[in-house]
Amino acid sequence: MTSKNNLDQSQKTPVSQNGRSRRAMAFILGLAAASPALFAQTPAATLELSHPHSYPYPYESQATDAASADGTPLTITLQDALERARVNDPQYHAALTDLGVAREDRVQARAGLLPGVTYNNSFIYTEGTGQPPACALSSTCPASRFIANNGVHEYISQGNAHEAVSLTNFADYRRSSAALAQARAKAEIATRGLVVAVTQAYYGLVIAQRKFSTAQRGSTEAQRFLKISQELQNGGEVARADVVKASIQAQQQQRDLQEAQLAMQRSRLDLAVMIFAEWNQNFSVVDDLQTPEPLPPFTEVQAAGRKNNPDLRAALAALAVANHQVTAAWGGLLPSLSVDYFYGIDSNRFAIRTNGVRDLGYSAVASLQIPIFSWGADRSKLKQAELRRDQARLELSHEQRQLLSHLQQFYEEASMARSEMESLASSAEMAAESLRLTNLRYQAGESTVLEIVDAQNTLTQSRNAYDDGQMRYRVAVANLQTLTGSF
């Protein structure tokens, strides 16, 4: 009964002067056991908020790094990560492959407009009739069994220059040029998309390391407060409920630390897959989030988006491709001309001269093909091309509207993220100060354990929100630059 009265009195009435002395002594011992600049409002706290470039890694990661060849982690900057990802990313290389294929398609289409030269060699042997001597001078005796051939022996060795002229050939060349422009635009889209993906993965690891460091600090503070509450309970100055609550908080902080460690390791693995051709986890990243790049005015961003947007260029090129496909389909309904020029030997003997007569000669053939009837196939091809052209026009109009929408959305997000960083930094500083003051008030018996726990959680959330805000700005700028290019 006496202990219950003491418990109730400790919760409802101010502590005595002797109790305050014991609390002050326990508070001093707790501060001595903790890091001197853990949450104090000193220059050290400012450095702590700015998050230094190096962060402790999980124990498993340290073991992996220690097992590397030279034992020294490779330091990777964002530019290093981008260069490595350009070498190793398969989707980016697929876009480059499509660009190379489109370039060769144009070479082939251009070759189709120019004369082609081949050299043909053939020998035709026809079984003779075996003429009797009496028919040797008679013109009525047959000379061979197959009258379609020019002689019993026919040697052909000729060069052939061939040229085909049609509307379809010219349209195919122009279509291939437009397709090349489209492939270039898609390669640029892939390049900028890769920058966004690498930026997210790179700063995702940076932020994961920051959150792991914050979780470590939170766990250390929770353990320190648990020790203080136990000492105060032993002195009869606080209730058992305070120790229980502090113990729960310490366990929760330990679980959060494990989760942060797992998230950091996952982020490291995601980035390693993107930037290394061979499996490697022995690397560190540089934290440069403290120096955000400037954001230009919206008018400059809008002008750059209209000029340098690869999605818009790709849509324009797709419309040009569709238009040239319509022209090529019309070419299938119109006449086409082909010209062949032959020079060489077409003789019964394989020789330049026979009985003083020169066997070398030439011939030319011109053909005009006029389409008459194809069971509607040519008209169907024209209809298909017109449908693709209409779809390309619709996509171009949609892309133009989407460009204006995305420009404004990405710019507003980047602008808001940049303006919020100062507020988030101030909130984190005030949360650290709030925890320090709440600790003092608790030692003086003026606050409860719930206020301590709330202050600890608020500090962790404020620090994480500040880190997320810095990453949000970098990713928002990367998304904006997919539309405008580099500022």
Side-chain angles (χ1 to χ4, degrees), residues 224-246:
R224 183 188 69 84
F225 177 70
L226 175 60
K227 183 178 180 181
I228 292 176
S229 62
Q230 289 173 342
E231 291 175 351
L232 293 177
Q233 183 201 14
N234 293 335
E237 301 176 43
V238 297
R240 173 63 181 168
D242 288 10
V243 178
V244 173
K245 186 62 178 178

Side-chain angles (χ1 to χ4, degrees), residues 167-168 170-179 317-331 385 389:
L167 180 62
T168 300
F170 287 98
D172 284 342
Y173 174 69
R174 292 181 178 273
R175 180 197 58 78
S176 65
S177 298
L319 178 58
V321 169
N323 285 330
H324 293 309
Q325 286 177 337
V326 172
T327 304
W330 271 111
R389 180 191 59 190

Side-chain angles (χ1 to χ4, degrees), residues 280-341:
N280 181 22
Q281 298 183 64
N282 190 16
F283 68 95
S284 61
V285 293
V286 177
D287 184 353
D288 58 353
L289 288 175
Q290 298 301 328
T291 56
E293 55 186 308
L295 188 65
F298 181 71
T299 54
E300 297 181 11
V301 171
Q302 192 174 30
R306 291 175 177 173
K307 180 180 179 181
N308 302 323
N309 182 252
D311 294 289
L312 186 58
R313 292 202 305 269
L316 288 170
L319 178 58
V321 169
N323 285 330
H324 293 309
Q325 286 177 337
V326 172
T327 304
W330 271 111
L333 300 174
L334 301 177
S336 61
L337 175 66
S338 62
V339 178
D340 289 278
Y341 176 83

Side-chain angles (χ1 to χ4, degrees), residues 122-162:
S122 63
F123 166 67
I124 302 176
Y125 174 78
T126 304
E127 182 183 359
T129 59
Q131 296 175 346
C135 295
L137 300 177
S138 175
S139 61
T140 61
C141 293
S144 63
R145 295 182 183 275
F146 300 101
I147 61 174
N149 294 332
N150 297 318
V152 177
H153 297 163
E154 183 177 1
Y155 297 89
I156 299 175
S157 181
Q158 296 177 333
N160 172 220
H162 174 78

Side-chain angles (χ1 to χ4, degrees), residues 112 146 381-382 393:
F146 300 101
K381 292 178 181 178
L382 177 60
R393 285 176 179 171

Side-chain angles (χ1 to χ4, degrees), residues 389-407:
R389 180 191 59 190
D390 295 341
Q391 178 65 24
R393 285 176 179 171
L394 182 62
E395 290 177 357
L396 175 59
S397 176
H398 178 266
E399 190 61 43
Q400 290 172 335
R401 298 192 305 271
Q402 195 172 50
L403 168 62
L404 298 176
S405 174
H406 286 174
L407 270 176

Side-chain angles (χ1 to χ4, degrees), residues 173-252:
Y173 174 69
R174 292 181 178 273
R175 180 197 58 78
S176 65
S177 298
L180 177 59
Q182 184 182 18
R184 286 198 183 103
K186 289 185 176 180
E188 181 65 20
I189 293 172
T191 301
R192 297 182 184 184
L194 180 64
V195 171
V196 175
V198 174
T199 300
Q200 289 178 328
Y202 183 89
Y203 288 117
L205 176 56
V206 171
I207 296 304
Q209 291 180 166
R210 285 187 175 189
K211 290 183 177 180
F212 177 72
S213 180
T214 299
Q216 281 185 320
R217 296 186 182 99
S219 179
T220 301
E221 171 64 15
Q223 292 294 335
R224 183 188 69 84
F225 177 70
L226 175 60
K227 183 178 180 181
I228 292 176
S229 62
Q230 289 173 342
E231 291 175 351
L232 293 177
Q233 183 201 14
N234 293 335
E237 301 176 43
V238 297
R240 173 63 181 168
D242 288 10
V243 178
V244 173
K245 186 62 178 178
S247 178
I248 294 174
Q249 177 69 3
Q251 293 176 0
Q252 180 61 47

